[in-house]
Amino acid sequence: MRKLLISSIIFAALTSCGNGNQSSQEATTDTVAEAIEAPAQPQELVLTDTGVGPIQLGMNAANVPATVEGLYDRTAREMACDDEIITGYLNDNTIITMELDENDNISGISVSSDAPVKIQTTSGDPYISR
């Protein structure tokens, strides 16, 4: 990105010298602006022994984001047997399940095999708990 920006600045200096053509200068300015505004690459999501992205063990359910880009696009609070869970869905597929304890804090996190998540837990399993 830095090389692109430097190249664009050098190109702007070279094209604006000597010809006085206003449209050439405007086009160069647009190129530099586009280089600066290029979106960053999405951050890779990694499941560690403490959580994945903004979802962390011990976090209160009220603080769970409604969406996490690249992980899930909606959540639902549900009952599974006698446990309350928050399920994260991406395109109607279950991607992540967050188990809640009696204080409404996340006590376990599991990710599906379809989850766009790299697993880096000590056990190597796609499930963590405390």
Side-chain angles (χ1 to χ4, degrees), residues 27-110:
T28 302
T29 303
D30 291 344
T31 303
V32 173
E34 288 173 13
I36 293 171
E37 295 172 11
Q41 293 294 323
Q43 181 177 343
E44 180 181 45
L45 294 165
V46 178
L47 178 67
T48 66
D49 290 329
T50 60
V52 57
I55 309 300
Q56 298 294 306
L57 289 175
M59 171 186 235
N60 189 273
N63 297 324
V64 172
T67 64
V68 175
E69 185 177 352
L71 184 59
Y72 59 84
D73 54 21
R74 69 181 177 89
T75 59
R77 193 166 177 144
E78 306 164 329
M79 291 297 294
C81 298
D82 292 332
D83 297 320
E84 197 163 6
I85 62 172
I86 297 174
T87 305
Y89 297 93
L90 183 62
N91 301 323
D92 293 326
N93 295 316
T94 300
I95 297 297
I96 184 170
T97 303
M98 297 160 262
E99 299 170 16
L100 302 176
D101 64 17
E102 63 279 353
N103 296 316
D104 219 26
N105 295 323
I106 297 175
S107 60
I109 299 171
S110 62

Side-chain angles (χ1 to χ4, degrees), residues 5-6 8 19 45 64 76 119 130:
L5 184 58
I6 291 171
S8 296
N19 69 4
L45 294 165
V64 172
I119 309 297
R130 57 181 198 139

